[in-house]
Amino acid sequence: MLGLKNFFLALGLSLASSMVLVAPAPVQAEYGDIVLNNFAEEAEVRPVVFPHWFHRVRFNCSVCHADLGFKMQAGGNDITMSKIIEGEYCGACHNNEIAWAIENCDICHSGKKGIETQVMGSDLRAVKKNKANK
């Protein structure tokens, strides 16, 4: 029995150490996620993937779009890390009291490099491009 316990302990330690050494892979944004790349690549970090529906099922729209001042347009806000640290925008909740804090950059900055600011799956981007080309 002790041999099996040591095996699982060694396996767990091995898996944990391998996870620490491997950088997290960029995630693919899903339908309805908001990708923000206004400043990310200039700062040499990956774009932010904001899981809109994950937040929407927990909070009324007015919490973010009225109380916190988020515009209803992907990329329409001048969100910077300094503002978040000061408690604006995402930092109003992501302060380690209401929700996890911002120490782990890869949780938010998880998009694939080169992806533009958008609402994933939205046809509005295509409609705006078509109107601009006419």
Side-chain angles (χ1 to χ4, degrees):
M1 186 71 164
L2 187 57
L4 189 59
K5 189 175 184 180
N6 286 340
F7 170 77
F8 283 113
L9 178 62
L11 179 63
L13 290 173
S14 174
L15 289 173
S17 66
S18 67
M19 287 184 214
V20 171
L21 298 175
V22 176
V27 298
Q28 177 65 42
E30 298 177 359
Y31 181 84
D33 286 347
I34 299 172
V35 177
L36 301 171
N37 197 4
N38 294 4
F39 309 112
E41 289 190 7
E42 288 177 22
E44 298 182 4
V45 294
R46 291 186 292 191
V48 169
V49 175
F50 173 72
H52 183 264
W53 288 110
F54 178 85
H55 288 78
R56 178 56 190 98
V57 298
R58 289 161 178 77
F59 304 103
N60 183 298
C61 301
S62 65
V63 171
C64 298
H65 293 289
D67 299 345
L68 299 180
F70 282 97
K71 295 178 185 174
M72 288 199 186
Q73 176 187 1
N77 301 284
D78 187 27
I79 302 171
T80 62
M81 287 308 301
S82 59
K83 289 180 181 178
I84 293 171
I85 291 166
E86 292 168 8
E88 294 181 51
Y89 296 113
C90 313
C93 295
H94 288 279
N95 56 15
N96 220 20
E97 292 176 21
I98 297 171
W100 49 265
I102 60 168
E103 287 85 19
N104 188 342
C105 305
D106 290 335
I107 292 175
C108 299
H109 289 277
S110 59
K112 293 183 178 182
K113 288 194 183 255
I115 192 167
E116 62 186 74
T117 296
Q118 63 182 295
V119 177
M120 291 303 295
S122 172
D123 291 335
L124 291 176
R125 193 178 76 207
V127 169
K128 287 180 184 178
K129 282 184 179 180
N130 287 337
K131 284 182 180 178
N133 291 335
K134 289 183 180 182

